[in-house]
């Protein structure tokens, strides 16, 4: 965004958390993680109990490889709301990045328990099941993602990948 655009969005709305959240998402769409984090931080400054802002900023930290900051954000989100599927999923993503797939699966299980419609939890748990060669469980999770997302392409490909070691070629090819 041009500096003038930022000023237009924020003029008169300096304390508007929704405007700042929208601006953070715009920055993310442009690949500008630094300004996205700054805007999510401002949302948190305005609303210190904003679980979604903590989880969103944590996701951006993960994307940047700053796992310590991400962990702090997800932990804070869970302090505020122990039923945040996004925070459990985020912590699971950190463990998966550290190759602790068993620990990641435990966190994804918590995410699914508190948010049974959480696509990210099923998708990431399925990936961790693939990494641990638990193909039937991976296939089950990817099938759930396909059903919830109405055919998400990545989930369909991962579902097929999980079916191949199970010699289920017919379903893998369909």
């Amino acid at each position: 965004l041009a500096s003038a655009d930022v000023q237009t969005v924020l003029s008169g709305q300096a304390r508007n958390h929704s405007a700042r959240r929208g601006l953070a998402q715009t920055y993310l769409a442009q690949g500008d993680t630094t300004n996205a984090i700054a805007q999510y931080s401002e949302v948190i400054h305005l609303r210190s109990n904003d679980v979604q802002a903590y989880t969103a900023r944590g996701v951006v930290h993960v994307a940047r490889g700053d796992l310590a900051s991400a962990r702090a954000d997800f932990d804070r989100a869970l302090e505020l709301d122990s039923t945040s599927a996004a925070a459990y999923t985020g912590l699971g993503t950190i463990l998966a990045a550290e190759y602790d797939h068993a620990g990641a699966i435990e966190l994804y299980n918590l995410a699914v328990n508190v948010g049974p419609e959480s696509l990210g939890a099923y998708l990431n748990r399925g990936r961790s099941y693939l990494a641990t060669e638990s193909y039937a469980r991976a296939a089950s999770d990817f099938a759930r993602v396909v059903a919830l997302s109405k055919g998400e392409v990545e989930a369909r490909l991962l579902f097929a990948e999980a079916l191949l070691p199970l010699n289920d070629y017919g379903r893998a090819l369909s």
Side-chain angles (χ1 to χ4, degrees), residues 39-85:
Q39 291 306 315
Y40 284 127
S41 296
E42 190 58 32
V43 171
I44 291 166
H45 175 74
L46 295 170
R47 296 180 57 173
S48 61
N49 63 346
D50 193 319
V51 173
Q52 290 178 335
Y54 280 106
T55 58
R57 188 174 71 177
V59 168
V60 179
H61 283 307
V62 168
R64 292 173 57 128
D66 184 355
L67 301 184
S69 294
R71 188 182 316 269
D73 278 346
F74 295 133
D75 284 343
R76 179 64 180 138
L78 287 171
E79 287 173 15
L80 294 169
D81 180 4
S82 64
T83 65
S84 173

Side-chain angles (χ1 to χ4, degrees), residues 158-173:
L158 290 168
F159 178 51
E161 182 181 338
L163 291 172
L164 290 175
L166 300 172
N167 298 322
D168 194 345
Y169 303 114
R171 286 195 325 165
L173 293 172

Side-chain angles (χ1 to χ4, degrees), residues 1-11 23 27:
L1 284 174
S3 178
D5 293 334
V6 172
Q7 293 312 314
T8 300
V9 169
L10 295 179
S11 64
L23 190 55
Y27 281 129

Side-chain angles (χ1 to χ4, degrees), residues 63-125:
R64 292 173 57 128
D66 184 355
L67 301 184
S69 294
R71 188 182 316 269
D73 278 346
F74 295 133
D75 284 343
R76 179 64 180 138
L78 287 171
E79 287 173 15
L80 294 169
D81 180 4
S82 64
T83 65
S84 173
Y88 286 120
T89 300
L91 287 171
T93 302
I94 292 169
L95 291 184
E98 295 170 341
Y99 301 101
D100 178 1
H101 291 287
I105 289 168
E106 287 179 30
L107 287 164
Y108 298 140
N109 287 340
L110 290 170
V112 167
N113 286 339
V114 298
E117 303 295 312
S118 177
L119 290 174
Y122 286 108
L123 185 62
N124 290 338
R125 186 174 69 178

